[in-house]
């Protein structure tokens, strides 16, 4: 009996490879990982926090954070994933059985749940704006105030918001249920080049507006007096979120890699693509904002209220608006599927569920969890335990606590427990010498955890 029990329970723990899946091409993997990284964080958040934090100087600090914190952690996550071919929980359990390190994995799966629940709400807003610009409802504004009011009214609508929230999740579920290759990889193969094309088109439109140069100067000319400790913290947090680090999303994507994949070059590509999209997005937004004589420090509503005003006052504005929100929706969708995939991979690997069951059940649970977040700008706006809405609480718990903690612990784990040598051996399994091994070991051991701790503490106090 005992033996049978052990065999059965071990069976449950081993990956069900049929249900797991794998990438079929190197490019497919790079596009999918870039799809995860490139999201609302790049298109919506990066421009508005750049606007709030002084433009060029912030961009410079952000680039440094990407280089010394983002890049090393991404390589660590890919390496852990390919070494174990498992989800975040399974990965730590396999490398360090019966130790508390598995907590990093559980925190990651939990963060996936939480982030997707509110990310899908914002994803739903972008879908709604596609429809609204198509019907021209969202492109008839005289001032950003007017556009802001329209936006505020829309996000307070319970039925409409919940409807689009559901549509966004159904799209994620529809892609992830088809599996890693048939769903995620195929979708990203089409969606990512589309996104790049739309982005370039919009940039040309923006840069040719009269008065665009002023925006370019604000964006590219660093004013070093604007670099404060707060600016550094915001930049570091943004680097994390934008690169999808700290919750095992990149670990999970790495787990679908064949052993011959070159991990260092894949990391460099994904980091470059993600950064390029953020930087180009600034080139779309700031020239337009300045050309229209608007404020760059508008804040979170920059995309939803300032841009529709810009579109309203330009030729073919409805088309530009439609195209822009399609871009935003694509970016959100390819990130949403990576969040869902982390949760799904856990239930497939560790619980022995089929992919179909995992996707449908978890998609439903995440939808329900997201409903109060969606209502947080309308009927639940005054429900503020601890001074924050439900949406803010979920966002705060995941983005400000679970992600930084997960990233820091991952760096410490790889730097001191699993060890840079073991990681290097995995990286070099099929590729030529990892030339940056010593620099990477130094960063992952000393620079990355300290930097993240810094962000983490500054958020608490
Ligand atoms: N990186 C995405 C963005 O920029 C969001 C995202 C997707 C994410 N998966 C993640 C953030 C995992 C942190 C962890 O919008």
């Amino acid at each position: 009996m005992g033996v049978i029990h052990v065999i059965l329970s071990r069976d449950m723990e081993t990956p069900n490879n049929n249900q797991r899946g794998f990438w079929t091409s190197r490019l497919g993997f790079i596009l999918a990982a870039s799809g995860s990284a490139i999201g609302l964080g790049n298109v919506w958040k990066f421009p508005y926090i750049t606007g709030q934090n002084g433009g060029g100087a912030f961009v410079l600090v952000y680039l440094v954070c990407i280089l010394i914190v983002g890049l090393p952690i991404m390589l660590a996550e890919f390496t852990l994933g390919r070494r174990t071919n498992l989800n975040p929980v399974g990965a730590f359990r396999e490398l360090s059985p019966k130790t508390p390190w598995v907590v990093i994995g559980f925190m990651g799966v939990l963060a996936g749940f939480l982030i997707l629940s509110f990310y899908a709400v914002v994803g739903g807003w972008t879908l709604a704006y596609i429809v609204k610009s198509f019907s021209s409802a969202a492109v008839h504004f005289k001032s950003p105030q007017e556009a802001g009011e329209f936006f505020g009214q829309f996000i307070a609508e319970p039925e409409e918001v919940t409807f689009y929230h559901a549509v966004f999740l159904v799209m994620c579920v529809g892609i992830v249920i088809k599996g890693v290759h048939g769903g995620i990889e195929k979708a990203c193969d089409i969606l990512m080049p589309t996104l790049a094309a739309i982005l370039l088109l919009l940039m040309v439109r923006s840069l040719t507006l009269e008065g665009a140069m002023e925006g370019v100067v604000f964006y590219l000319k660093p004013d070093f007096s604007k670099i404060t400790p707060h600016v550094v913290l915001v930049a570091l947090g943004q680097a994390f979120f934008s690169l999808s680090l700290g919750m095992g999303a990149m670990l999970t994507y790495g787990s679908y890699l064949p052993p011959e994949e070159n991990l260092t070059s894949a990391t460099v590509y994904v980091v470059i693509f993600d950064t390029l999209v953020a930087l180009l997005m600034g080139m779309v937004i700031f020239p337009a904002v300045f050309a229209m004589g608007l404020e760059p420090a508008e804040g979170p509503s920059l995309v939803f209220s300032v841009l529709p005003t810009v579109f309203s006052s330009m030729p073919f504005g409805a088309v530009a608006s439609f195209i822009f929100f399609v871009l935003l929706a694509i970016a959100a969708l390819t990130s949403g599927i990576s969040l869902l995939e982390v949760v799904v991979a856990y239930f497939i690997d560790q619980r022995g569920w089929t992919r179909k069951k995992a996707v449908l059940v978890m998609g439903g649970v995440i939808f329900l969890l997201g409903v109060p977040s969606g209502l947080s700008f309308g009927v639940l706006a005054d429900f503020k335990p601890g001074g924050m809405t439900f949406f803010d609480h979920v966002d705060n718990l995941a983005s400000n606590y679970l992600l930084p903690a997960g990233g820091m612990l991952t760096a410490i784990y790889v730097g001191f427990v699993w060890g840079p040598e073991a990681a290097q051996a995995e990286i070099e399994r099929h590729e030529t010498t990892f030339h940056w091994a010593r620099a990477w070991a130094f960063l992952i051991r000393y620079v990355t955890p300290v930097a993240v701790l810094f962000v983490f503490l500054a958020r608490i106090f």
Side-chain angles (χ1 to χ4, degrees):
M1 267 313 271
V3 174
I4 291 173
H5 179 78
V6 167
I7 290 172
L8 281 178
S9 61
R10 277 198 54 212
D11 239 343
M12 300 280 275
E13 298 274 298
T14 50
N16 182 344
N17 280 315
N18 269 334
Q19 298 293 326
R20 284 201 108 244
F22 51 88
W23 309 113
T24 52
S25 79
R26 172 178 167 67
L27 182 68
F29 162 67
I30 290 173
L31 290 181
S34 304
S36 168
I38 299 166
L40 296 168
N42 306 56
V43 183
W44 164 67
K45 207 166 173 205
F46 178 77
Y48 91 69
I49 60 177
T50 302
Q52 283 177 329
N53 289 282
F58 175 83
V59 176
L60 213 65
V61 178
Y62 175 73
L63 292 177
V64 173
C65 293
I66 289 279
L67 216 63
I68 66 171
V69 178
L71 209 117
I73 299 193
M74 188 177 294
L75 180 59
E77 285 204 22
F78 281 160
T79 309
L80 283 168
R82 194 187 63 179
R83 166 70 177 74
T84 57
N85 288 124
L86 285 168
N87 67 93
V89 170
F92 289 103
R93 196 168 267 168
E94 170 156 318
L95 291 176
S96 296
K98 304 209 163 45
T99 63
W101 291 104
V102 70
V103 164
I104 306 175
F106 281 111
M107 279 168 41
V109 175
L110 179 66
F113 257 107
L114 297 175
I115 296 178
L116 185 55
S117 79
F118 70 84
Y119 204 84
V121 170
V122 183
W125 297 348
T126 71
L127 294 179
Y129 263 67
I130 294 178
V131 177
K132 287 175 196 299
S133 45
F134 205 54
S135 67
S136 294
V139 283
H140 281 119
F141 304 117
K142 304 256 170 330
S143 67
Q145 287 75 17
E146 209 180 289
E149 259 168 47
F150 179 87
F151 177 61
Q153 270 166 15
F154 159 63
I155 60 175
E157 272 303 319
E159 293 89 2
E160 221 183 336
V161 164
T162 310
F163 171 74
Y164 284 109
H165 166 207
V167 174
F168 184 85
L169 270 176
V170 167
M171 292 168 88
C172 291
V173 162
I175 294 173
V176 174
I177 208 167
K178 293 213 176 93
V180 171
H181 166 63
I184 301 174
E185 186 175 344
K186 278 200 177 143
C188 291
D189 279 355
I190 300 166
L191 293 176
M192 296 316 286
T194 310
L195 183 132
I198 294 178
L199 191 58
L200 292 176
L201 208 74
L202 284 170
M203 190 176 70
V204 171
R205 172 66 269 197
S206 244
L207 285 173
T208 50
L209 289 169
E210 204 174 319
M213 266 335 270
E214 210 188 320
V216 177
V217 171
F218 168 81
Y219 183 50
L220 292 185
K221 197 160 168 247
D223 170 358
F224 291 102
S225 69
K226 291 197 171 142
I227 299 179
T228 62
H230 176 76
V231 167
V232 178
L233 292 182
V234 175
L236 192 55
Q238 171 66 9
F240 242 82
F241 189 84
S242 186
L243 292 172
S244 297
L245 300 175
M247 54 153 277
M250 290 304 179
L251 187 158
T252 305
Y253 273 19
S255 78
Y256 303 126
L257 278 172
E260 61 275 7
E261 180 58 54
N262 185 319
L263 293 176
T264 46
S265 80
T267 306
V268 171
Y269 276 118
V270 175
V271 168
I272 288 179
F273 287 156
D274 184 72
T275 308
L276 217 55
V277 169
L279 293 178
L280 289 178
M281 212 43 232
M283 273 301 199
V284 172
I285 295 209
F286 293 112
V289 165
F290 276 80
M292 301 290 156
L294 301 170
E295 248 315 296
E298 163 84 22
S301 56
L302 192 69
V303 162
F304 290 97
S305 68
V306 170
L307 273 185
T309 321
V310 172
F311 295 139
S312 299
S313 56
M314 74 192 213
F316 303 109
V319 179
S321 168
F322 173 74
I323 291 177
F324 175 76
F325 286 106
V326 168
L327 171 118
L328 197 53
I330 290 175
L333 193 63
T334 52
S335 298
I337 59 183
S338 79
L339 292 161
L340 183 56
E341 181 62 24
V342 173
V343 176
V344 165
Y346 166 74
F347 282 94
I348 292 175
D349 294 345
Q350 306 304 122
R351 306 265 160 179
W353 289 20
T354 62
R355 174 167 286 274
K356 193 169 164 196
K357 177 177 168 193
V359 174
L360 290 176
V361 173
M362 290 307 132
V365 172
I366 290 169
F367 169 72
L368 292 178
L369 182 65
V371 170
S373 286
L375 301 179
S376 290
F377 303 88
V379 287
L380 291 183
D382 294 326
F383 173 66
K384 285 184 172 173
M388 286 194 292
T389 62
F390 190 86
F391 184 104
D392 294 336
H393 273 297
V394 180
D395 180 10
N396 183 46
L397 172 62
S399 316
N400 298 344
Y401 293 90
L402 291 174
L403 290 185
M408 184 179 68
L409 292 173
T410 303
I412 294 173
Y413 178 79
V414 171
F416 296 99
V417 182
W418 191 40
E421 300 77 20
Q424 186 180 349
E426 173 60 29
I427 292 167
E428 288 180 344
R429 187 140 65 104
H430 275 273
E431 72 190 71
T432 44
T433 340
F434 175 25
H435 295 291
W436 300 93
R438 288 185 60 187
W440 178 71
F442 178 76
L443 288 172
I444 205 86
R445 284 186 137 174
Y446 305 111
V447 178
T448 311
V450 173
V452 179
L453 186 68
F454 184 51
V455 175
F456 197 38
L457 293 178
R459 283 230 163 100
I460 296 174
F461 300 112

